[in-house]
Amino acid sequence: MRHSKRASGSKAAPVTPKRMSIETGMMGNGHRRQLLEIVQAFQQFSRDTSEEEVVATFLKSAISMAKASRVRLIRNDGGNILVECEARRSQNNAIVVSHGRRPVESEGLFRNVFNSASLTYMPVFLGSTSFVQAQAWANPQTDTIDSPMLCVPVLLNEESKEILCLDTRSDTAPLDSTLVDHLTLLSAQAVMKRENLRLRARIALENRKIEEVEVALCANKRELAHMQRMSQTGSWRWRAATDTLEASSEFLRIYEISRERSIPSGKLINLTHPDDLPLVRIALVKAIAARRVFKLEFRIIVGFGEIKYVQVEGHPQTNDTEDLQYIGVTVDVTERRNAENALQAARAELARAHRLSTMGEMAASIVHEVYQPLTGIITNAEACLRWLSKSPAETARARDSARRVARDARRAADVFRGLRAVASNSGITKVPVDLDDAIREVAFLLQGELDRANIRLRLETAVAKPVLGDRTQIQQVLENLIRNSMDALLPVVGMQKSLFVNSASHDPAFAMVTVQDNGCGFGKHSAETLFDALFTTKPNGMGMGLKVCRSIVEAHGGLLQAERRERETVFRFTLPYIDGTSVNDIQN
């Protein structure tokens, strides 16, 4: 541990090996005592459990061996010279150890000591001694030494970051080379013990970290297994070299396979549904040959013939040895596929029910719309027969009745034609329609019934431009709305029964028709409920009139709405204008 070379120009005088060998053997009893103290210190080191205890034992043994007045362990901490620990003799000759870092006095002196120790790795004497005439390095004017001092470097990894500094007393025996050797041996053992404790502390810390990581890893594994169970997703790794899979517990649960370290791929192939097996084989062979990602969905047969749907996705992985591997997931999508199949079946059943409902609505609308012109035909035909059966026959009146029969027959034919167009999706034949004229015509046809029911009809027509649509269907809507108002006015007593029909421009693109009455209204039902199929407030109603009216208006590009006021019921519908300003403009 000591080297013979010294730094050039050094003021310290290391102990020369020649002079120290002369001193050896002259103090046999003292040396045996020192060896005994070293052995006792070593024994105490084995019992010390902290670095503080080791340092305290070290300083106590050193001060006892050297019979010094004070021993300090001084450390060079990044250029700062600090006293790390100190042992002193008290007045009753007891040894007192004090811990705690503090700045050292004569910092320049000890900095020179550290510089010398880092170059020579040998002890340094400061002041005069009995056998080595060594002088202090420091300037006597600034650094004075009360008594001779021995500084022994404490080596750690061939570095001297600490020195053991012993202050002698006046009655202290001369410092010899054997004492230096013993102190060096003691310091080496103390260093080893301190390093051992640090390593143990570091190992204990690492072990705690490893335990924490293992606990966290186990928790993550449990959480991952729980999440895979919840999502019905199993993970796996396939190795091409062995053609086996390493799979998670959820994967094994999906395939209903007992726990195995590695699963031959052939075992999984055997569980694939025979109808899906050829396509699965082809897709896997192509993906593996090209080393690309594959995504498959197929059926497997597990247990006692249970069929499951699984989704498989794999990604290629290649290591340094070119060993091809695939990692991926397998998801059990049986519930989703069953739900999709059930949804498709429900949609098919709903479509069938919708077709049946449409057929029923169509039949009801045919009956509803044709009933009125047929009733008119029967009534006018009977009237015609009565006029002809008189003697003499009243041919003029009979002729009027026959004309009305023809008119109602044409109306019935127009109704059939419109319904046939709707049923065949051929659309509506739209032509320019004078809306005000169509309203007046419907009012003229119903005037007789209005008079017999004592209902006062008031018309206000102010649409300057024609609308685009089917005149017969527009009049069909008007007649339905007016007849609904007439039915609502029949129970009214004690007040004037009023019916108001108005046409006006709603905005530059649409005309609006309003039918308003002061009848009994539609009760507590909502306005939108009136337009539901088969809903009616009439005892003998079919519940199709307003439904058909809304369909016709919407087919024309308009909107039909109902509104309930305090004592009035209002229906409004809009129809689009055509390009032009008047009927004459269109005809020209």
Side-chain angles (χ1 to χ4, degrees), residues 53-71:
E53 293 176 354
V54 173
V55 171
T57 301
F58 175 39
L59 295 187
K60 286 179 180 180
S61 300
I63 197 173
S64 178
M65 289 169 56
K67 295 184 178 181
S69 61
R70 181 176 63 169
V71 177

Side-chain angles (χ1 to χ4, degrees), residues 306-518:
E306 180 186 359
I307 296 178
K308 291 184 178 181
Y309 290 86
V310 294
Q311 249 183 15
V312 180
E313 180 173 344
H315 292 250
Q317 305 286 315
T318 305
N319 56 24
D320 296 336
T321 61
E322 296 298 324
D323 180 18
L324 176 63
Q325 301 179 21
Y326 267 84
I327 60 172
V329 293
T330 297
V331 186
D332 185 355
V333 295
T334 305
E335 294 182 2
R336 191 196 73 187
R337 286 301 301 270
N338 290 340
E340 289 176 355
N341 294 336
L343 180 60
Q344 291 178 357
R347 285 176 176 173
E349 184 64 24
L350 182 61
R352 177 176 172 274
H354 181 69
R355 288 195 297 271
L356 293 176
S357 175
T358 302
M359 291 175 61
E361 291 180 8
M362 182 65 68
S365 63
I366 291 173
V367 173
H368 182 274
E369 299 302 325
V370 177
Y371 177 78
Q372 295 172 357
L374 288 180
T375 301
I377 290 172
I378 294 170
T379 302
N380 290 312
E382 290 175 350
C384 181
L385 291 175
R386 286 197 301 271
W387 296 127
L388 292 175
S389 62
K390 286 190 175 184
S391 181
E394 297 188 13
T395 55
R397 291 187 175 181
R399 189 180 301 111
D400 291 338
S401 297
R403 289 195 186 98
R404 287 193 291 272
V405 169
R407 182 198 64 193
D408 290 338
R410 283 193 298 271
R411 287 183 59 208
D414 290 338
V415 170
F416 275 111
R417 177 177 57 80
L419 292 175
R420 184 170 63 249
V422 173
S424 61
N425 293 326
S426 61
I428 301 172
T429 303
K430 296 180 181 179
V431 295
V433 177
D434 189 333
L435 185 58
D436 290 347
D437 183 67
I439 294 173
R440 286 191 290 267
E441 184 177 351
V442 172
F444 176 76
L445 294 175
L446 298 177
Q447 188 62 54
E449 296 182 40
L450 292 168
D451 291 341
R452 287 192 293 272
N454 196 24
I455 297 174
R456 178 187 175 186
L457 174 64
R458 182 162 59 95
L459 293 180
E460 287 185 5
T461 55
V463 177
K465 297 188 293 184
V467 296
L468 187 63
D470 186 304
R471 183 184 179 93
T472 302
Q473 291 194 7
I474 293 173
Q475 289 182 322
Q476 181 181 346
V477 173
L478 281 167
E479 183 178 351
N480 266 311
L481 295 179
I482 293 174
R483 287 189 178 277
N484 283 343
S485 295
M486 292 170 60
D487 293 337
L489 288 167
L490 289 178
V492 174
V493 292
M495 60 182 300
Q496 176 64 53
K497 303 175 183 179
S498 300
L499 178 60
F500 174 59
V501 178
N502 169 264
S503 64
S505 291
H506 177 60
D507 56 37
F510 288 90
M512 175 179 287
V513 178
T514 303
V515 178
Q516 179 178 327
D517 65 77
N518 61 345

Side-chain angles (χ1 to χ4, degrees), residues 143-254:
D143 295 295
T144 60
I145 298 175
D146 297 335
S147 61
M149 187 182 301
L150 172 63
C151 297
V152 180
V154 178
L155 299 179
L156 177 62
N157 297 329
E158 297 186 355
E159 288 187 19
S160 178
K161 292 186 178 180
E162 295 177 340
I163 58 173
L164 181 66
C165 183
L166 296 92
D167 295 345
T168 62
R169 298 183 300 183
S170 57
D171 58 345
T172 302
L175 302 175
D176 59 10
S177 60
T178 303
L179 174 62
V180 173
D181 290 339
H182 290 170
L183 290 174
T184 302
L185 179 61
L186 182 65
S187 67
Q189 186 64 19
V191 167
M192 291 177 59
K193 180 63 177 180
R194 292 169 66 188
E195 185 64 19
N196 194 333
L197 290 174
R198 292 171 185 171
L199 289 175
R200 285 183 181 180
R202 193 176 303 121
I203 291 173
L205 179 61
E206 293 297 328
N207 288 337
R208 285 196 298 271
K209 289 182 178 179
I210 291 173
E211 290 177 0
E212 292 174 358
V213 170
E214 289 177 349
V215 171
L217 182 60
C218 291
N220 288 339
K221 286 182 178 179
R222 290 193 298 269
E223 184 177 355
L224 178 60
H226 182 64
M227 294 174 64
Q228 287 191 358
R229 178 69 176 178
M230 291 176 59
S231 62
Q232 297 183 332
T233 302
S235 57
W236 50 264
R237 178 187 295 272
W238 174 76
R239 302 181 186 275
T242 59
D243 195 20
T244 57
L245 278 88
E246 297 174 0
S248 66
S249 58
E250 180 62 17
F251 179 91
L252 300 178
R253 189 200 65 79
I254 293 173

